[in-house]
Amino acid sequence: MASTNRQFHLARLPDGPLTRDCFRLAETAVPVPKDGEVLLRARLMSVDAANRAWMQGATYRDALSTGTVMSARGLGEVVESRHPDFAAGDLAFGDLGWQEYAAVPGNSLMKQLPVTPSSHLLSVYGISGLTAYFGLREVAQAKPGDTVVISAAAGAVGTFAGQIARIMGCRTVGIAGGEEKCRWLTDELGYDAAVNYKAGPVAEGLKAACPDGVDVYFDNVGGEIFETALSQMKMHGRIACCGVVSTYDAASQPAHGPRGVPFLFVVKRLAMRGFIVSDFFGRRDEALAQLRSWVETKRLKVIEDVVEGFESLPDALIGLLHGKNRGKRMVRIG
């Protein structure tokens, strides 16, 4: 085991788009676990748009503050345990932060069974796959024959959500940035159509792709794309609100939402629900069994974007916020 622990601290809160100088590399001693804690060596660090959202204020967790280790969830290997549920060599998922070693309360960790490759524990069998699964099946109540539209369709959740919707017998339409990504969605992931939001008004592209309207909208971005999708909803349409990535890398949050929404919801009898995946952790085993079945029978492709090296963490997050990834982005630490 190393004698020093490299960390990235949040040096300053951004007042606009995130930049590398918001982070500072530091070295400290490897922590010693206290009673009830587990010392983990980081193996894979999840890179999520939510990491940036945490800098804007309190969400479902406390806001990040400067001078502390940058928060992030990751997969670690147990080096030393002072918790009865963990032993050296076990794999665990939790909030490890941007550091090579972390001492974490055992009751905040989720033990993971070994999987090959282990990166699947952060993608299809992790937050991304579970979010797509529960967002479509439980929150949006998607059913065969529905037209399902997914924003950020080439991202970590979107790549799985589109495929799961297709497996469920839905017509799937993705929204992504760039013709190349859109072709990839249809040619490689089986989307029925894709709309390039960089090519012109999204409303026109969405009308062409969904001439009869939208039954389910799986929203990962918020903003103008969200407003446009609402205008295309069918009667009794359902919206699952998963993220608002279009606002995460901005200096401030929008002052108000779309003003015509209440009237639209009444007229079309729409239902909208926000969620985070931990709402459904009580049914995690059920979802994982289904996801494994789809992966093993090759009905569900696992798309991962693995960046190598601890030093790559800041650039990996900045690149994600600029849409540089396809599928689930993570950094391999060791």
Side-chain angles (χ1 to χ4, degrees):
M1 185 174 73
S3 59
T4 58
N5 182 28
R6 290 189 297 170
Q7 303 173 325
F8 273 108
H9 291 186
L10 184 59
R12 69 176 183 87
L13 291 171
D15 53 7
L18 189 67
T19 54
R20 191 178 175 90
D21 66 352
C22 292
F23 305 101
R24 177 176 60 85
L25 184 62
E27 288 190 358
T28 186
V30 173
V32 176
K34 302 173 184 177
D35 285 342
E37 290 187 338
V38 175
L39 176 64
L40 299 121
R41 180 182 178 186
R43 293 300 188 189
L44 289 161
M45 197 65 60
S46 180
V47 180
D48 303 294
N51 298 151
R52 175 66 176 89
W54 300 339
M55 301 176 192
Q56 293 181 324
T59 55
Y60 50 85
R61 55 163 297 152
D62 293 338
L64 303 188
S65 57
T66 58
T68 59
V69 176
M70 174 62 191
S71 293
R73 297 169 293 201
L75 180 71
E77 181 181 345
V78 176
V79 176
E80 180 183 348
S81 175
R82 299 192 66 183
H83 188 284
D85 293 342
F86 295 90
D90 285 346
L91 294 176
F93 174 81
D95 196 341
L96 308 186
W98 281 8
Q99 55 187 338
E100 293 175 307
Y101 292 90
V104 183
N107 58 11
S108 72
L109 295 168
M110 298 176 67
K111 185 182 288 188
Q112 304 290 309
L113 295 176
V115 168
T116 302
S118 59
S119 57
H120 282 17
L121 294 171
L122 288 190
S123 61
V124 66
Y125 305 136
I127 299 299
S128 301
L130 293 170
T131 298
Y133 180 90
F134 286 117
L136 280 171
R137 294 173 66 100
E138 301 299 323
V139 179
Q141 296 286 308
K143 58 185 183 298
D146 279 348
T147 292
V148 176
V149 172
I150 299 163
S151 57
V157 174
T159 53
F160 294 124
Q163 293 184 82
I164 292 171
R166 178 177 50 79
I167 291 169
M168 294 172 62
C170 302
R171 182 174 183 272
T172 59
V173 177
I175 302 175
E179 289 301 327
E180 185 179 353
K181 273 189 179 179
C182 288
R183 283 195 301 271
W184 178 73
L185 289 174
T186 54
D187 295 349
E188 296 296 324
L189 297 189
Y191 273 80
D192 294 285
V195 176
N196 176 10
Y197 71 81
K198 295 182 178 180
V202 176
E204 294 180 6
L206 201 55
K207 285 179 182 178
C210 309
D212 297 323
V214 177
D215 296 289
V216 169
Y217 175 51
F218 194 113
D219 184 42
N220 292 300
V221 301
E224 293 182 7
I225 291 177
F226 168 77
E227 295 179 26
T228 300
L230 285 185
S231 68
Q232 304 295 318
M233 299 300 295
K234 292 183 183 180
M235 292 284 291
H236 303 290
R238 289 91 66 204
I239 302 106
C241 293
C242 175
V244 196
V245 70
S246 67
T247 69
Y248 290 164
D249 209 25
S252 61
Q253 293 289 324
H256 56 75
R259 297 180 181 180
V261 164
F263 180 72
L264 184 65
F265 270 67
V266 171
V267 171
K268 292 192 175 182
R269 285 72 150 182
L270 303 180
M272 180 168 67
R273 177 179 170 187
F275 75 104
I276 57 175
V277 70
S278 58
D279 297 341
F280 300 97
F281 273 175
R283 296 173 54 193
R284 179 171 169 266
D285 290 345
E286 162 202 326
L288 288 175
Q290 182 63 81
L291 289 167
R292 287 194 184 98
S293 173
W294 288 335
V295 172
E296 290 169 1
T297 57
K298 302 187 185 305
R299 300 183 71 193
L300 183 62
K301 294 181 180 180
V302 182
I303 311 299
E304 297 175 341
D305 180 0
V306 182
V307 180
E308 299 292 337
F310 179 80
E311 300 87 349
S312 302
L313 279 163
D315 290 334
L317 177 55
I318 293 166
L320 176 88
L321 294 169
H322 287 83
K324 302 299 185 183
N325 65 303
R326 287 188 189 180
K328 172 60 186 171
R329 175 161 281 195
M330 64 190 81
V331 172
R332 195 186 312 278
I333 307 299

